[in-house]
Amino acid sequence: MSDTLKVISPVDGSIYVERTLATWREVDGALSEAKQAQAAWKRVPLHERAALCLRFVEAFVSMKDEIVPELAWQMGRPVAFGAGEVRGFEERARYMVGIAPEALADIDVGPKEGFNRWLRREPLGVVLAIAAWNYPYLISVNCVVPALMAGNAVILKHSGQTPLCAERFQRAFEMAGAPDGLFQILHMSHETTERAIGDSRVDYVAFTGSVAGGHAVVKAASGRFIGIGLELGGKDPAYVRSDANLPFAIENIVDGAFFNSGQSCCGKERLYVHADVYDEFVDGFVELTKKYRLGDPLDPETTIGPMVRTSAASFVRGQIESATRGGARALVDEKLFPASKPGTPYLAPQVLVDVNHQMDVMREETFGPVIGIMKVGSDEEAIGLMNDSPYGLTASVWTEDEDAAIAIGDSIETGTFFMNRCDYLDPALAWTGVKDTGRGCTLSRIGYEYLTRPKSYHLRTKTK
């Protein structure tokens, strides 16, 4: 087994960065240091924790001009959109810092003669955050900042594709003046990560990744009574009703399907369109898709970059080919995108019609720039198809009828339900999912409940 991490850039296939993986001795030292730092940090007043976290945010944002091209080299995000992740990072971090005083405040349970009673939110201890590569800063910040605000120490293990993202976090905390050991990063192998999860000094694991990865995390923690947050992906649907604002819906759903080369847990992967507007919608969707520019993500004119690796693009190609063999029609000529070539991470966006739920492209997570569109005749048919999935992260309906949207939302098995929006995380709302999408919650005041535990105070004030 190699002790070196090598990042193969999707831009040109070169080795972009190399790092030595942590030995268990180094992990052991980091865990002990985190435990010691957390014992002191939990006694730090909340306003001082907030001040540190806000300095961290400011330090991170100050590195934007370096962060954006690094993202392109590591995972293929076009530089035209890299700054958006920095803005989202700042929005989420500042919001979670801002709501902490209320979310973490003692809970008064009401008066009782002769007693003083309240609930307090206690930090868990050491949080191990295991982050994915596709939105490397947004995924990490969802856990890191609220965990620290709640009084925990954090160890961040980032994807092997995006190690520099973890190092940017570390640098920003150093610039902010964080105490030694409070926030640390470790570049670890899968085996070492599993051993760390099983270590008694880890008190909570926040994992974002594949369903298989989620099962591995749960297995590594088996026998331990610790919390595990799992955000494992989705096959997110959208339903376009007959009363939808079609130009608006087309523009937003195309973006929701193909932004980040479709490599988004909450990206649109399957569409259901009412028969009354189906033809017009599909025509507009295809025409807008053809306007994308696939190419070098370092080129400011590029609007869709390479997938993260060649194997990922090959997997998506396989889904497309399987669907077309089964009767689906591909409406976008790959020749319109000269950079799209088999055996490379560069893949043209694709729109499939005449699809059905016997096809993998409508059932299994694709995580790439392809979407299937089905015609439906009613809300009831759309609801049945939207729920016909092992996943449940987000779903959206496109309509001018809010009452109808709410009624549909009440019937959809999902963590977040949108009307006339998709592929967005509002930090004021709980980010969660159902079924194979995982368990737990980040963001919102509810997210703090998963990074703390309740402690009851029951004081008898009169003994005579």
Side-chain angles (χ1 to χ4, degrees), residues 239-242 272-279 374-379:
Y239 169 39
V240 181
R241 297 182 82 232
S242 60
Y272 307 98
V273 181
H274 195 278
D276 290 349
V277 294
Y278 177 84
D279 290 339
M374 289 180 65
K375 183 188 298 185
V376 297
S378 66
D379 292 351

Side-chain angles (χ1 to χ4, degrees), residues 59-82:
F60 179 86
V61 172
S62 74
M63 296 186 284
K64 180 183 69 175
D65 290 344
E66 301 163 81
I67 287 170
V68 169
E70 280 180 357
L71 274 175
W73 278 106
Q74 289 177 96
M75 48 76 64
R77 173 90 49 75
V79 293
F81 307 121

